[in-house]
């Protein structure tokens, strides 16, 4: 169950990371409220997952999901670069996340 909670925490990290772009420095109310809510809930879920998962593993997986998700969403929503080196680098992060998941007790 902790892994499912951690995945949701990571997905919310993507929401707030991309949401930051839409807040325009927290000058737009609705995107700012959504971003702040996603930050808070993401942190609460991460803390809950860390009750049973190793802290280093949980944090690395959480940030990995957020980093890969934010980069992919940046490509899809914001027109960021999709060159092969960037995509291969994201694949390496995913491999690291999977390695941490399958090597934790």
């Amino acid at each position: 169950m902790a892994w499912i909670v951690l995945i949701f925490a990571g997905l919310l990290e993507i929401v707030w990371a991309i949401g930051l772009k839409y807040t325009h420095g927290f000058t737009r109310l609705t995107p700012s409220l959504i971003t702040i809510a996603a930050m808070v809930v993401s942190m609460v879920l991460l803390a809950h997952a860390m009750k049973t998962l190793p802290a280093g593993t949980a944090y690395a997986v959480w940030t990995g999901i957020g980093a890969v998700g934010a980069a992919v969403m940046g490509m899809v929503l914001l027109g960021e670069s999709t060159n092969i080196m960037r995509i291969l680098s994201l694949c390496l992060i995913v491999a690291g996340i999977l390695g941490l998941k399958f090597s934790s007790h």
Side-chain angles (χ1 to χ4, degrees):
M1 184 57 130
W3 282 104
I4 294 169
V5 170
L6 184 60
I7 289 168
F8 278 113
L11 293 174
L12 285 170
E13 186 184 6
I14 298 166
V15 171
W16 70 256
I18 294 297
L20 283 172
K21 183 76 170 174
Y22 291 100
T23 68
H24 292 275
F26 291 103
T27 60
R28 299 171 77 197
L29 182 61
T30 300
S32 296
L33 293 174
I34 292 168
T35 299
I36 292 167
M39 285 177 177
V40 170
V41 176
S42 180
M43 286 290 197
V44 168
L45 292 175
L46 173 62
H48 181 72
M50 281 187 172
K51 287 180 181 178
T52 56
L53 297 175
T57 300
Y59 183 75
V61 169
W62 179 71
T63 58
I65 292 169
V68 170
V72 169
M73 295 307 292
M75 289 182 229
V76 171
L77 297 175
L78 305 172
E80 295 176 1
S81 172
T82 58
N83 66 57
I84 191 69
M85 192 59 161
R86 191 165 193 216
I87 292 170
L88 288 174
S89 297
L90 290 172
C91 290
L92 289 172
I93 295 171
V94 171
I97 292 168
L98 292 173
L100 287 169
K101 195 269 186 245
F102 292 119
S103 67
S104 71
H105 319 147

